[in-house]
Amino acid sequence: MRHGPPSSALPAAPSKDLSLWGALKPLLPYLRNHRGRLAAAFLMLLAAKLATVSVPVIFKHIIDTFQGDKAKWAVPASLLLLYAVMRIATTLFSAIREYFSDRVVQNAVRRAALNVFEHLHGLSLRFHLSRQTGGLTRDVERGTRGISTLISFVFFSILPTLVEIGLVSAILFTQYDWVFVAITLATLATYITFSIIVTEWRTGFRRAMNELDSKANTRAIDSLLNYETVKYFNNEQYESNRYNESLQRWEKAAVKSQTSLSMLNLGQSIIIALGVTAMMWRAVMGVANGSMTVGDLVLVNAFMIQLYMPLNFLGVMYREIKQALADLERMFKLTQEHSEVPDKPHAIAFSAPQVSIAFNDIHFAYEPDRQILRGVSFEIPAGKTVAVVGASGSGKSTLARLLFRFYDVGSGSITFNGQDIRTLTQSSVRAAIGIVPQDTVLFNDTIGYNIRYGRPDATDQMVTDAANASHIGAFIESLPEKYETPVGERGLKLSGGEKQRVAIARCLLKNPPVLIFDEATSALDSVSERAIQSELKSIAERRTTLVIAHRLSTIIDADEILVMDAGKIIERGAHHALVERGGAYARLWALQQSENR
């Protein structure tokens, strides 16, 4: 089930420099379900700004009561009370605004992150084989953080800042002469122009930092995932040097970014200081000639301080927004990736208790100059077992990838019960197939979780039965934590044979009508292999089974054996018939028998 807007809601083709509207537009659907909260948050924002602007006005009247012959005790208590109420109201309304807005922002971040996650899972195998996981996860992490920055700043900071500037300018214009407004607007225009120019210049440094940060993270994760290989070849220092090289390049970009930030802050402070000085000079002149009171002077000073804070924050917001846009660029590029193997618009769901499979004149190439399959045709009748043998690179494992529709055939067709699998939904095709791969990679969780992954809604008893059927139940029960035993990163805490038994249990728990055994017992010792082989044979009797094998002793009972070489089927038949024929299969059988002896 999908949550939130579909991935297509994200921008299809962002420009090199992602615009603010180009980033905000795809985020709007995530906010529509919270219209009430957003309206309440905006009302609280306006109320907080009105209270903030009223505080200096009240303070001016308090100061003016001390002028002339008025005694200090004559300050109206109502003014003091109102002053206190407005200061409290500013904080109170801001807190209420956060109550309404925080859930909106975090919900949008969650749904957007989920959307990208689902989109990545919907992409083809070719995309994931060419991506580096470390950089990919860092791009998504920074992108989701950028979403939070954009929504928070644009909707809950920029608007109230502009409202406050407008209110202050209106008071200055109506209560005093136009010079105050002119100075305020000139300072504001100069500040914004300077901030935009310098921030645009330093955005390139931020983009370079992102690139180098992703590369450094990719190298670190790749090295840690291959910890054993690093140890095998005693290459700790080599890996450290490679990582340090990436960090040094990132360090240089970070220094440039930070130096340019200091220049930006310095320029902004100078502009603000000049503006405040000009305003105070005009106010002092007004007090000197009698056109303004001391309270007016205090009011203007308070307004300048009050404007300085949001104006300075406006510069920070612009910098953060530009940085967020740079972060979002990489994440949005991920959403531009399209699945190489999409479902057809009217694809139907496949469901059948038994499945017959046919490969009809299949031609396939991973790359144009790398032809893998050349006119492969064979059938696996429902409930029968077909085994495929051959040298590495002959195309055996490619058959399994095509069945799962990780790739589509170049020409020809693969059918389930006579239906081309390209006309079926990929989800239903994959639901009908269970696989025990040669290289079993487990999730960094418990043994029970990894077995239950074949059927997440399975009961504990079903998990136990599957473990017993794959001859790993006794081993699990001997562990202190039993089914709650962690398996480690990629299952490294288990031996190769134990991981393969978990994979077999997971496949049995799924209970599909089609099975694929891709060297399913390659990591097992001879005793375990014989024990599990009998169990696999029993399971396969009720299912349509494709066995990709290296050890010929495991497939002698197959209904048909296919011998592949260079993407073609060069021999086919039952075991005894192929041995008697004296061809490639017979030579391979004799070689393995000799090795066994």
Side-chain angles (χ1 to χ4, degrees), residues 11 13-24 26 150 207 321-322 324-330 332:
S15 61
K16 181 179 179 181
D17 292 317
L18 191 64
S19 68
L20 179 60
W21 175 243
L24 286 175
L150 279 181
R207 186 176 289 112
I321 287 172
K322 291 298 294 184
L325 291 176
D327 292 340
L328 281 169
E329 274 187 50
R330 293 178 66 87
F332 281 172

Side-chain angles (χ1 to χ4, degrees), residues 475-496:
F475 165 75
I476 296 174
E477 291 295 338
S478 70
L479 298 172
E481 298 180 75
K482 300 185 178 357
Y483 285 86
E484 295 302 312
T485 303
V487 302
E489 187 82 43
R490 297 183 299 145
L492 291 178
K493 290 186 178 180
L494 302 181
S495 69

